[in-house]
Amino acid sequence: MKQHIQSVLQQLEQKTQKRSLKNVSFCNGSWIVMNGRKLLNLASNDYLGLASDERLIEAGCQAMCTYGAGATASRLIVGNYELYAKAEAALKNWKKKEAALIFNSGYTANLGIIAALIGRDDIVFSDWLNHASIIDGIRLSGAERYRYYHNDLDHLESLLKQASPHKRKLIVTDSIFSMDGDMAQLEGLVTLKKRYNAILMVDEAHSSGLYGERGEGLVHHLHLQDQVDIQMGTFSKALGSFGAYVVGEQWLVDYLINTMRSFIFTTALPPAVLGTIEKAIEIVQNEQAKRQTLQAHSCYFRDELQKLGFNVGKSTTHIVPIIIGSNEQTVQMSERLQEYGIAAVAIRPPTVPEGTSRIRFSLTAALAKEEIDWALERIARAGKEMGLIA
């Protein structure tokens, strides 16, 4: 076993795919200290800068002081503190849905929801660039599965036409794709799910808090909340906390409570996390100015990178990749940027397809325009030194 594992690690190193953990000792707003070096943080999912918000910190501390440090058991045993009821009530009100359920993470949510809803006699259709948690949930379900080309509704429809009309069908997609920064064609997906009598599930992880009048997500922004059957999302990105959720009709939540293994057999979230979730839902609804700031930052940053000659793919959001291709060059670019004071992570296979390794930048509302310009100057310098741009 040891020799096999060492061989696998050696192969990963040879392909420049071996990863290691980096020490973050300080994080405040747009700056972090990583491995002892102060860096401008362009790698975080803290899109609205709420992770260090004093209101969330205070809410978490109060919950811990009242209920203790740990939940002590799963929600179906004695871990279902009243904090859950308060947070899920806030979530239902925010999303204007009949029922809501909170989970421990986005990964365990997607893994459990999909595996609970479909099985060997069902069919699932998944966008080619969906998150790994969706892919693993589909695998675990044992359902017949088809991956349609990224955002290609014609290909999806051709697969739906081939499918047995007598089998249950689930279409699942991210709303914003985490490595490319583009959006799903949700209107078209709604049309197809109606036409072929399918259920539509949308993962709002990277759009919760950022789109819609009150930050409800891309589904609400497009006024599709009554036509998307299952909305899942996370609190660990724009909402600055931790955990995940699903909203929908009461039958969905009742069913998941009774069948979702990653819910049933997981210790409940700590009280401090639940306190921050409830407060984050309250805060995010009134953060329109921050949402506008983030959008302006993202457009400016993406446009300037394109002017410099970088390939930013099809990004239209706060996630802006520089697609390089080579694993080795991507790692070198990441290291060069860190030398210049920028936290920018190299994303390589299997997270992205072979030949599309990239630096994934993610903007936050906490950034100042001067900091973005400072970063752009150093990104341009690094790109020229490495021959990525002229």
Side-chain angles (χ1 to χ4, degrees), residues 22 34 37-40 310 324 328-346 359 361 374-375 377-388:
K22 298 175 177 62
M34 189 166 68
R37 179 182 293 159
K38 186 178 180 181
L39 303 173
L40 184 66
F310 287 109
I324 296 172
E328 186 176 356
Q329 278 192 309
T330 303
V331 171
Q332 290 173 353
M333 181 66 168
S334 175
E335 292 172 348
R336 186 74 57 95
L337 290 174
Q338 288 184 37
E339 290 173 10
Y340 290 160
I342 299 171
V345 178
I359 302 294
F361 295 107
W374 181 89
E377 187 274 326
R378 283 156 177 77
I379 294 167
R381 189 197 313 171
K384 289 173 183 177
E385 289 171 352
M386 292 191 57
L388 300 176

Side-chain angles (χ1 to χ4, degrees), residues 69-81 84 102-105 108 242-244 260-271 273-274:
T72 76
S74 71
R75 291 188 66 181
L76 288 172
I77 307 297
V78 293
N80 194 46
Y81 290 124
Y84 268 111
I102 290 174
F103 310 109
N104 284 33
S105 72
T108 57
F242 184 70
M260 183 176 161
R261 293 174 66 83
S262 62
F263 171 84
I264 296 169
F265 299 107
T266 300
T267 297
L269 285 168
V273 172
L274 292 166

Side-chain angles (χ1 to χ4, degrees), residues 273-375:
V273 172
L274 292 166
T276 62
I277 287 173
E278 184 187 359
K279 178 58 69 171
I281 293 170
E282 174 191 323
I283 291 171
V284 79
Q285 298 180 58
N286 300 308
E287 294 295 336
Q288 192 61 25
K290 286 187 178 181
R291 287 189 273 275
Q292 291 169 352
T293 295
L294 178 60
Q295 185 175 18
H297 283 347
S298 304
C299 290
Y300 176 72
F301 184 71
R302 182 171 50 251
D303 290 347
E304 292 301 310
L305 287 178
Q306 287 178 310
K307 289 176 186 176
L308 288 167
F310 287 109
N311 176 11
V312 301
K314 297 181 178 180
S315 169
T316 59
T317 67
H318 47 283
I319 298 168
V320 186
I322 287 178
I323 300 172
I324 296 172
S326 156
N327 291 349
E328 186 176 356
Q329 278 192 309
T330 303
V331 171
Q332 290 173 353
M333 181 66 168
S334 175
E335 292 172 348
R336 186 74 57 95
L337 290 174
Q338 288 184 37
E339 290 173 10
Y340 290 160
I342 299 171
V345 178
I347 305 295
R348 294 154 285 167
T351 307
V352 294
E354 292 284 349
T356 69
S357 292
R358 66 200 61 191
I359 302 294
R360 175 195 183 267
F361 295 107
S362 48
L363 283 291
T364 80
L367 289 163
K369 170 71 161 45
E370 294 75 19
E371 291 172 327
I372 296 174
D373 286 332
W374 181 89

Side-chain angles (χ1 to χ4, degrees), residues 10 28 69 88 128 158 176 219 239 268 301 305 339 375 378 385:
Q10 187 176 24
N28 187 18
E88 285 169 349
W128 194 265
S158 70
I176 292 178
V219 169
L239 277 81
F301 184 71
L305 287 178
E339 290 173 10
R378 283 156 177 77
E385 289 171 352

Side-chain angles (χ1 to χ4, degrees), residues 48-252:
L48 295 179
L50 293 181
S52 55
D53 190 291
E54 291 183 359
R55 294 168 293 180
L56 263 66
I57 295 169
E58 182 181 354
C61 289
Q62 287 180 350
M64 179 181 284
C65 288
T66 303
Y67 295 95
T72 76
S74 71
R75 291 188 66 181
L76 288 172
I77 307 297
V78 293
N80 194 46
Y81 290 124
E82 60 183 352
L83 290 167
Y84 268 111
K86 294 170 67 177
E88 285 169 349
L91 181 56
K92 286 190 294 183
N93 181 63
W94 178 38
K95 290 279 195 172
K96 294 291 184 282
K97 283 293 180 180
E98 184 180 9
L101 195 62
I102 290 174
F103 310 109
N104 284 33
S105 72
Y107 186 89
T108 57
N110 276 334
L111 201 70
I113 293 168
I114 295 169
L117 287 176
I118 56 173
R120 296 185 183 280
D121 296 325
D122 306 317
I123 309 175
V124 60
F125 303 85
S126 174
D127 189 287
W128 194 265
L129 296 185
N130 275 341
H131 190 264
S133 58
I134 294 174
I135 295 168
D136 289 354
I138 293 169
R139 288 172 176 165
L140 186 62
S141 75
E144 185 180 351
R145 55 189 184 268
Y146 295 96
R147 295 175 71 187
Y148 58 91
Y149 302 137
H150 177 51
N151 266 340
D152 189 334
L153 297 181
D154 290 335
H155 185 223
L156 172 58
E157 182 161 25
S158 70
L159 296 173
L160 286 163
K161 284 180 179 177
Q162 296 172 32
S164 167
H166 306 296
K167 290 190 174 185
R168 292 186 300 175
K169 303 174 190 65
L170 173 69
I171 301 170
V172 59
T173 183
D174 287 332
S175 60
I176 292 178
F177 294 90
S178 60
M179 294 300 137
D180 289 68
D182 58 343
M183 298 179 177
Q185 298 186 45
L186 294 182
E187 299 99 326
L189 291 174
V190 165
T191 298
L192 290 179
K193 79 107 180 180
K194 291 178 178 177
R195 185 177 297 163
Y196 293 94
N197 193 30
I199 292 174
L200 177 60
M201 174 178 170
V202 177
D203 181 339
E204 295 259 44
H206 292 275
S207 60
S208 290
L210 302 181
Y211 293 87
E213 185 178 348
R214 300 184 300 144
E216 303 97 326
L218 189 60
V219 169
H220 281 73
H221 178 74
L222 297 173
H223 307 292
L224 298 173
Q225 59 268 29
D226 294 328
Q227 301 176 70
V228 172
D229 304 287
I230 305 166
Q231 294 177 51
M232 171 270 171
T234 61
F235 303 112
S236 55
K237 298 174 177 63
L239 277 81
S241 182
F242 184 70
Y245 67 83
V246 70
V247 293
E249 295 182 42
Q250 190 64 51
W251 64 262
L252 172 66

Side-chain angles (χ1 to χ4, degrees), residues 3-17:
Q3 288 181 335
H4 168 70
I5 290 173
Q6 288 176 329
S7 173
V8 171
L9 289 172
Q10 187 176 24
Q11 291 173 31
L12 289 172
E13 192 158 12
Q14 289 171 351
K15 294 189 291 185
T16 327
Q17 290 183 11

